[in-house]
């Protein structure tokens, strides 16, 4: 196959990848988009297999089958609640693959047309080491993020003295190592870069708390793209550069959306330490305030007599696996002629869009699930807000109390609805450690208990 | 490789920046409800790095580079199959359910 033919096929495959992302602008076009992506990948793989230098079909075929079997097995069995961990694990593999490809290019530069062993072109060496550096960081950072999301490692941010200074010094060290590597092309220095970058990846994610994981997962998504880009430059392969840039841009935008949803700069999230060291004693003493408590029958009664209900689910709902019971409750209310909708805060789940997937899995029609800016102006016209497993994202202090750590965060205006039902296990504060003044309002009823049990009880009372 | 190496780099850089701009606009058009599938797809397509791994694993015989290449192929394949399949699973949950719902009850 001529090199022009290869370039054209790679271009087609890159275009198909762009269409795959474009398809996600609407649920109805998204499945076609996914198929475009698959076709693009098949074209890319087969085009590469046609290269004159590629001869070992059996070994490569076996490697694809092994990897494919493992990937399919995991993807078909994973629970949707565990999606963030899965994505983090997959990112780590992209990072590791980038390191291996860079290493392969370093040991056999002739196969990649970038020079001979010991005299690889300088530009290729620079690109190769940058790809390795980003790949290794993506790998170790994702492994740690996976551990935190899975619960294997404590989600608490781990902070120690001079943390940022140490990271900065390690970064400088890596730059020196790269310069050194470009000059003398020694394998020892190549592997030193790999190991120091792996160390840096761990250190960068360690101070970031469990609830900041949406930003971290998006950021690692972005890194995995830049790593692919770095390898693309090394191999002068436009397909890799284009795809890497698409993925990099996508991850960067998602990180931006997530950190904006928490009203924090990306830098603030990256520096970490949030959530662990909040001075909870600073929050006002509310022990003398009265909280109105209710049970499932009260909630059923209130909602049955309303015209419109907005359900605000948070991560606590997903932890309690309450989504199916919640959807059942919504179905009964709808049959009674009550308008039921769901309001999703950008950081409601553990990764971007997580809550939408969990509700879709529980058969909630996506037309009823609305984003913050789509539904926020409807709260004043709504009779009942049913908040389940969420707290900080409804706290009016974000708008009024400048001293609050969550001040400025966009919130769902549940306070404006006529009455608010809060399903919570206890009076404990949310992840930000801030007390929610909504709990003490006259029109708020607290429903203490497990989210799933509470929904099931409400369903019972409604159907009784 | 006939082209001068700095020329190749500049072409790559041109492609890179244009792709970033396309990525920027395409990703902003993605509906927030589908941000999780977006991560699934980007994860799968970033494994197009398999192209580099296949080139390394291509030559006959066995050397360090080939072994690295084969490991790369396995890792990238896990992601390609896993990424597209998990996205497929997510997207099939976002089908219109207006007719199906009554049966589910």
């Amino acid at each position: 196959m001529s090199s022009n033919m290869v370039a054209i096929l790679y271009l087609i495959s890159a275009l198909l990848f762009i269409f795959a992302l474009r398809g996600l602008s609407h649920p109805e076009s998204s499945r076609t988009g996914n198929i475009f992506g698959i076709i693009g990948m098949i074209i890319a793989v087969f085009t590469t297999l046609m290269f004159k230098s590629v001869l070992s079909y059996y070994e490569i075929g076996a490697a694809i089958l092994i990897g494919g079997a493992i990937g399919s097995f995991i993807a078909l069995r994973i629970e949707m609640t565990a999606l963030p961990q899965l994505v983090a694990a997959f990112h780590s593999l992209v990072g590791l693959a980038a390191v291996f490809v860079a290493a392969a290019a370093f040991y056999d530069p002739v196969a990649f047309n970038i020079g001979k062993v010991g005299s690889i072109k300088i530009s290729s060496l620079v690109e190769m080491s940058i790809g390795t550096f980003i790949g290794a960081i993506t790998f170790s950072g994702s492994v740690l993020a996976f551990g935190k999301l899975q619960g294997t490692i404590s989600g608490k941010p781990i902070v120690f003295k001079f943390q940022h200074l140490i990271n900065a010094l390690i970064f400088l060290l890596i730059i020196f190592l790269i310069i050194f590597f470009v000059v003398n092309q020694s394998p020892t220095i190549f592997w030193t870069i790999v190991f120091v970058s792996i160390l840096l990846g761990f250190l960068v994610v360690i101070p970031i708390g469990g609830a900041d994981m949406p930003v971290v997962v998006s950021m690692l998504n972005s890194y995995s793209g830049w790593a692919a880009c770095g390898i693309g430059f090394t191999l002068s392969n436009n397909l890799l550069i284009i795809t890497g840039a698409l993925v990099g841009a996508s991850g960067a935008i998602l990180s931006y959306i997530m950190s904006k949803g928490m009203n924090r700069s990306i830098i603030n999230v990256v520096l970490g330490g949030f959530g662990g060291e909040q001075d909870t004693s600073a929050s006002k003493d509310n022990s003398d305030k009265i909280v109105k408590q209710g049970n499932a029958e009260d909630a059923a009664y209130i909602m049955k007599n309303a015209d419109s209900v907005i359900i605000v689910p948070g991560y606590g709902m997903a932890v309690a696996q309450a989504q199916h019971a919640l959807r059942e409750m919504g179905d009964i209310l709808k049959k009674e002629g009550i308008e039921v909708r769901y309001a999703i805060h950008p950081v409601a789940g553990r990764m971007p869009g997580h809550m939408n997937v969990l509700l879709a899995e529980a058969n909630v029609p996506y037309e009823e699930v609305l984003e913050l800016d789509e539904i926020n102006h409807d709260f004043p016209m709504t009779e009942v807000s049913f908040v389940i497993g969420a707290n900080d994202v409804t706290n009016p202090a974000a708008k009024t109390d400048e001293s609050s750590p969550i001040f400025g965060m966009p919130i769902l205006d549940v306070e404006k609805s006529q009455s608010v039902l809060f399903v919570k296990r206890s009076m404990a504060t949310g992840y930000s450690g801030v007390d929610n003044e909504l709990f003490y309002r006259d029109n708020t009823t607290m429903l203490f208990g497990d989210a799933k049990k509470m929904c099931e009880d409400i369903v019972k009372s409604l159907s009784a | 490789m006939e082209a001068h190496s700095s020329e190749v780099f500049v072409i790559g850089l041109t492609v890179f920046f244009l792709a970033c701009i396309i990525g920027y606009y395409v990703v902003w058009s993605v509906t927030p409800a589908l941000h999780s599938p977006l991560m699934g797809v980007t994860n799968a397509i970033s494994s197009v790095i398999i192209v580099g791994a296949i080139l390394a694993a291509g030559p006959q015989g066995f050397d360090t580079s080939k072994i690295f290449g084969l490991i790369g192929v396995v890792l990238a394949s896990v992601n390609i199959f896993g990424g597209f399949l998990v996205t497929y699973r997510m997207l099939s949950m976002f089908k219109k359910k207006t007719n199906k719902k009554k049966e589910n009850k």
Side-chain angles (χ1 to χ4, degrees):
Chain A
M1 208 170 354
S2 77
S3 63
N4 275 339
M5 194 60 200
V6 170
I8 288 171
L9 286 170
Y10 277 166
L11 174 65
I12 293 173
S13 142
L15 291 173
L16 286 167
F17 288 160
I18 295 171
F19 293 142
L21 300 189
R22 187 73 185 90
L24 291 168
S25 57
H26 194 273
E28 294 309 310
S29 59
S30 60
R31 280 176 291 278
T32 327
N34 200 31
I35 292 168
F36 281 148
I38 295 171
I39 298 172
M41 187 59 77
I42 293 173
I43 293 176
V45 168
F46 276 93
T47 306
T48 316
L49 286 173
M50 302 293 241
F51 274 51
K52 269 202 282 314
S53 64
V54 178
L55 298 163
S56 45
Y57 298 114
Y58 291 112
E59 290 99 317
I60 294 173
I64 293 179
L65 281 181
I66 295 170
I70 299 171
S72 312
F73 180 76
I74 299 170
L76 291 175
R77 299 210 35 187
I78 194 84
E79 297 273 342
M80 285 298 146
T81 35
L83 211 53
Q85 292 92 298
L86 176 78
V87 169
F90 279 168
H91 289 157
S92 77
L93 298 183
V94 181
L96 198 57
V99 173
F100 276 113
V101 174
F106 175 60
Y107 279 90
D108 186 8
V110 182
F112 294 91
N113 220 341
I114 53 170
K116 293 195 183 77
V117 177
S119 59
I120 302 172
K121 279 184 285 182
I122 291 179
S123 58
S124 305
L125 284 170
V126 175
E127 292 153 357
M128 186 190 292
S129 40
I130 293 176
T132 310
F133 162 63
I134 306 176
I137 284 200
T138 312
F139 166 65
S140 55
S142 303
V143 168
L144 195 60
F146 171 82
K148 286 193 175 199
L149 287 162
Q150 180 80 18
T152 327
I153 307 165
S154 154
K156 283 225 175 87
I158 297 167
V159 280
F160 49 87
K161 258 196 177 164
F162 305 124
Q163 197 159 25
H164 304 314
L165 185 69
I166 291 171
N167 289 352
L169 288 177
I170 293 178
F171 182 67
L172 279 180
L173 173 69
I174 291 173
I175 292 177
F176 279 120
L177 283 171
I178 290 178
I179 295 171
F180 223 56
F181 171 67
V182 171
V183 175
N184 72 5
Q185 313 202 2
S186 130
T188 328
I189 298 182
F190 178 83
W191 293 110
T192 315
I193 296 176
V194 172
F195 287 113
V196 177
S197 306
I198 287 179
L199 178 71
L200 186 61
F202 279 128
L203 288 174
V204 163
V205 177
I206 244 181
I208 304 177
D212 275 348
M213 282 300 142
V215 185
V216 175
V217 172
S218 321
M219 242 168 43
L220 292 166
N221 185 227
S222 183
Y223 288 174
S224 69
W226 305 132
C229 255
I231 302 300
F233 275 107
T234 318
L235 312 184
S236 306
N237 183 321
N238 284 344
L239 173 62
L240 277 180
I241 297 177
I242 296 174
T243 315
L246 291 176
V247 177
S250 163
I253 290 175
L254 291 177
S255 324
Y256 169 77
I257 295 174
M258 288 298 110
S259 46
K260 212 173 137 232
M262 297 192 281
N263 188 41
R264 299 171 53 205
S265 69
I266 292 185
I267 300 191
N268 180 287
V269 174
V270 173
L271 293 181
F274 192 78
E277 18 150 44
Q278 283 302 325
D279 188 7
T280 35
S281 61
S283 64
K284 281 168 259 160
D285 185 24
N286 281 307
S287 51
D288 53 335
K289 288 197 194 167
I290 300 153
V291 170
K292 194 163 74 182
Q293 270 196 52
N295 57 26
E297 284 100 68
D298 302 330
Y301 178 79
I302 294 172
M303 286 194 278
K304 221 171 181 171
N305 289 302
D307 287 330
S308 51
V309 174
I310 294 181
I311 298 171
V312 180
Y315 190 65
M317 186 275 297
V319 172
Q321 292 286 337
Q323 53 269 43
H324 290 273
L326 183 68
R327 195 259 311 154
E328 220 178 304
M329 185 189 94
D331 280 353
I332 297 177
L333 291 172
K334 273 193 288 183
K335 256 191 220 138
E336 301 271 333
I338 300 160
E339 186 192 23
V340 178
R341 286 176 301 169
Y342 297 78
I344 308 286
H345 192 273
V347 291
R350 277 289 179 272
M351 69 185 270
H354 193 198
M355 194 55 67
N356 302 75
V357 173
L358 293 173
L359 290 176
E361 191 193 17
N363 279 321
V364 174
Y366 62 80
E367 301 93 336
E368 291 171 16
V369 183
L370 301 167
E371 304 300 319
L372 183 132
D373 43 349
E374 292 171 321
I375 199 163
N376 229 1
H377 50 267
D378 285 357
F379 278 106
M381 285 92 83
T382 302
E383 276 171 66
V384 181
S385 293
F386 185 81
V387 185
I388 177 164
N391 182 359
D392 290 335
V393 298
T394 65
N395 194 339
K399 287 199 284 195
T400 52
D401 180 5
E402 270 181 64
S403 66
S404 171
I406 59 168
F407 181 73
M409 181 171 105
I411 60 157
L412 290 159
D413 294 327
V414 296
E415 50 163 338
K416 290 184 179 156
S417 58
Q418 284 170 29
S419 58
V420 184
L421 297 171
F422 256 104
V423 182
K424 260 185 126 285
R425 268 185 309 205
S426 67
M427 283 299 286
T429 55
Y431 132 80
S432 69
V434 187
D435 199 21
N436 194 338
E437 57 172 279
L438 263 185
F439 297 166
Y440 312 102
R441 295 216 176 153
D442 289 341
N443 60 348
T444 303
T445 308
M446 301 298 295
L447 307 165
F448 291 116
D450 174 70
K452 188 179 177 189
K453 180 97 193 349
M454 183 59 71
C455 288
E456 285 166 354
D457 289 348
I458 295 174
V459 167
K460 264 184 227 152
S461 321
L462 280 172
S463 8
Chain B
M1 187 108 45
E2 295 86 24
H4 192 261
S5 109
S6 72
E7 207 173 293
V8 172
F9 176 73
V10 172
I11 294 171
L13 210 59
T14 312
V15 170
F16 172 74
F17 281 111
L18 293 178
C20 282
I21 292 169
I22 293 176
Y24 179 85
Y25 286 103
V26 171
V27 172
W28 274 115
S29 77
V30 172
T31 168
L34 295 180
H35 277 161
S36 286
L38 173 66
M39 294 193 98
V41 170
T42 51
N43 187 39
I45 64 173
S46 64
S47 305
V48 74
I49 207 161
I50 195 173
V51 165
I54 291 177
L55 287 180
Q60 269 163 340
F62 266 97
D63 57 6
T64 334
S65 157
K66 176 159 186 176
I67 294 166
F68 287 157
L70 285 174
I71 298 174
V73 173
V74 174
L75 294 174
S77 308
V78 173
N79 253 310
I80 293 172
F81 283 77
F84 280 125
L85 262 176
V86 85
T87 311
Y88 171 81
R89 272 187 66 197
M90 283 190 257
L91 293 176
S92 47
M93 294 168 187
F94 281 91
K95 279 186 180 145
K96 275 216 189 302
K97 297 186 181 98
T98 19
N99 310 323
K100 230 174 71 184
K101 229 171 28 203
K102 274 150 206 152
E103 303 158 26
N104 279 344
K105 227 239 118 180

